[in-house]
Amino acid sequence: MKKFTFATDASFAYFQGISMKIFLDGKFCNERDAKISVFDHGLLYGDGVFEGIRAYNGRVFKLKEHIDRLFYSAKAILLEIPMSHAEVMKATIATIKANKLRDCYVRLLVTRGVGTLGLNPRSCKRPSVIIIAGKIQVYPAELYARGMEIVTVPTVRNLHSAVNPAIKSLNYLNNILAKIEANNAGVEEAVMLNAEGFVSECTADNLFIIKNGILQTPPNSAGALYGITRNTVMELAEPLEIKVTEPNLTRYDLFNADECFLTGTGAEIMPVIKIDGRLIGNGKPGAITQKLVQAYRALTQVSGEPI
Ligand code: PXG
C-alpha cells in the first residue's frame, strides 16, 4: 500500500475538516455527500464528457472556450446537457466562489446519468452535472525550470473513426495506457503517435516544436485535441512575430527540433529537453519557449471571467 501524502490542498482541507463544496445536479453539497450512483453510465462505461479549467488571480481563464468545448463534446456523443451554456458558466463561477478560491483548478463533468446494467444509453433518463473546484499539480514543479524528458509510446492515439480524439470524454483509457508506458520508461509524459505514425499529442497536453524560428504543432486531423492552451499559444505567437504552422510531424522532426514544449490547462507550458534519448537543442528550455511562457503567464493574470 502506498503511504498517504497530502497531495493537494483539497485533500489537506478534507483532513482539516474543511469540506469542499461540490456542485451536483443544480445544488451545492459537502464533499462527503457528493456521491453518484454505481449505476451511472459515466462510471459503468466512461459515458460522459469533461473539462479541466483554471482560474488565476480571481478570473476564470478562457471560460467560454471551455464551456463551448464541453457542449461540442456532448453534441458529438448525443448527450444533452440539462443546463444552458450560460447556466454552466454561472455554475462554474459559483462553485469557485462557494469554495472561496481565486487561483484554482475546476473539473467539470457531465455523465450520461443513472441507467440499467447494459450499455444502452436509452435507459439513462437524466445526465448528471458535477463541478469540483480544487487544486491540481500535473507535473513536479522543478521540471518547469529544468525541462522534461518524454518518450514516444506503443499505444497509438484513437482513430477519428473510432473514438474521435477531439471528444473530451470520460473514457481516457487510450491516454492512461500511454501514461503507464511513459511511467514504465521512467519519464513523466508520453508522446502519442497516430495510426499513420505521425505525432498527435501527449496524454493530457498538446505538443509544439520550434525549428529555425518557426513554431510547429500537429494539426487536429493528426489526432490532437482542440487544445485551448494550444490556441492561446498560437495567438500569443503572432504579436511576438513567431510564425506558426500545423504540419504533420514525425519522430524525426521531434528529434531534430531546436526547442519543444507541451501545452495544457493543467500543465500550462512545459519545456521538453529530451525525446527518446535525443537531446533537444542544447538540453535546456529554449529562448522562444521561455518568451511564450512569459507571455502566457502574463495573460493568465489579467484575462478571464471575473469570479
Ligand atoms: N490533449 C489532451 C488529450 C487533453 O486531455 C489537452 C490536450 C490540452 O488541452 P487544453 O484545452 O487544456 O489546453 C488535454 C487537456 C488532468 C487534466 O486532470 C487534463 C487536461 C487538462 C487539465 C487537467 O490531468 N487535459
Side-chain angles (χ1 to χ4, degrees):
M1 274 288 271
K2 242 181 158 175
K3 252 175 59 185
F4 179 78
T5 51
F6 289 110
T8 63
D9 287 9
S11 56
F12 183 72
Y14 182 84
F15 282 89
Q16 294 283 299
I18 308 159
S19 180
M20 285 170 101
K21 298 275 183 274
I22 315 284
F23 179 94
L24 177 58
D25 294 333
K27 292 192 227 59
F28 285 106
C29 54
N30 292 322
E31 64 180 280
R32 64 180 80 232
D33 306 316
K35 302 252 164 61
I36 60 153
S37 166
V38 294
F39 294 101
D40 192 307
H41 281 211
L43 174 68
L44 288 174
Y45 300 107
D47 187 354
V49 294
F50 80 102
E51 274 302 319
I53 307 169
R54 269 191 196 266
Y56 298 91
N57 197 24
R59 291 167 185 273
V60 191
F61 191 60
K62 302 281 176 191
L63 178 60
K64 181 182 178 297
E65 287 80 352
H66 281 283
I67 307 305
D68 281 346
R69 189 172 62 187
L70 181 79
F71 275 80
Y72 296 145
S73 293
K75 185 168 188 181
I77 69 161
L78 288 131
L79 173 66
E80 203 169 320
I81 300 177
M83 292 168 74
S84 69
H85 192 288
E87 284 168 348
V88 177
M89 281 182 59
K90 261 177 81 177
T92 304
I93 292 171
T95 307
I96 299 171
K97 258 197 181 141
N99 289 283
K100 302 186 172 65
L101 294 166
R102 283 174 56 80
D103 291 86
C104 66
Y105 171 73
V106 176
R107 170 61 55 86
L108 210 170
L109 299 79
V110 186
T111 74
R112 187 76 68 180
V114 173
T116 54
L117 294 175
L119 62 79
N120 198 331
R122 264 197 316 228
S123 70
C124 305
K125 298 301 173 219
R126 192 186 156 85
S128 265
V129 179
I130 301 162
I131 310 175
I132 309 165
K135 298 272 171 177
I136 193 170
Q137 170 95 48
V138 293
Y139 299 123
E142 63 273 15
L143 292 184
Y144 287 88
R146 209 167 62 216
M148 180 187 264
E149 177 177 359
I150 59 178
V151 293
T152 53
V153 293
T155 293
V156 160
R157 191 81 182 104
N158 282 333
L159 293 172
H160 293 104
S161 48
V163 181
N164 196 314
I167 303 168
K168 218 165 149 54
S169 87
L170 290 183
N171 195 319
Y172 251 47
L173 266 183
N174 185 222
N175 314 52
I176 291 165
L177 290 176
K179 189 71 150 187
I180 291 169
E181 288 160 356
N183 289 345
N184 286 346
V187 302
E188 289 283 338
E189 189 52 287
V191 182
M192 301 180 80
L193 306 178
N194 63 24
E196 288 179 282
F198 292 116
V199 176
S200 63
E201 60 176 346
C202 293
T203 66
D205 321 306
N206 291 106
L207 181 145
F208 284 83
I209 61 166
I210 294 144
K211 182 70 181 173
N212 298 328
I214 299 174
L215 190 57
Q216 304 179 24
T217 191
N220 295 111
S221 59
L225 186 81
Y226 289 84
I228 290 164
T229 319
R230 174 185 184 273
N231 236 354
T232 306
V233 164
M234 289 163 90
E235 285 169 9
L236 287 171
E238 206 190 313
L240 294 171
E241 294 182 354
I242 304 165
K243 193 177 168 220
V244 187
T245 60
E246 297 178 63
N248 265 322
L249 296 173
T250 63
R251 292 173 73 228
Y252 171 92
D253 298 316
L254 303 191
F255 300 155
N256 290 295
D258 300 325
E259 301 183 29
C260 177
F261 62 85
L262 313 181
T263 64
T265 299
E268 301 172 300
I269 300 178
M270 171 60 78
V272 172
I273 51 159
K274 206 185 242 189
I275 307 175
D276 291 340
R278 280 80 160 180
L279 215 58
I280 304 305
N282 62 2
K284 296 206 170 80
I288 297 177
T289 304
Q290 285 175 348
K291 254 193 209 172
L292 288 165
V293 168
Q294 270 179 11
Y296 185 76
R297 285 207 184 126
L299 183 68
T300 59
Q301 291 303 307
V302 296
S303 89
E305 213 51 51
I307 295 164

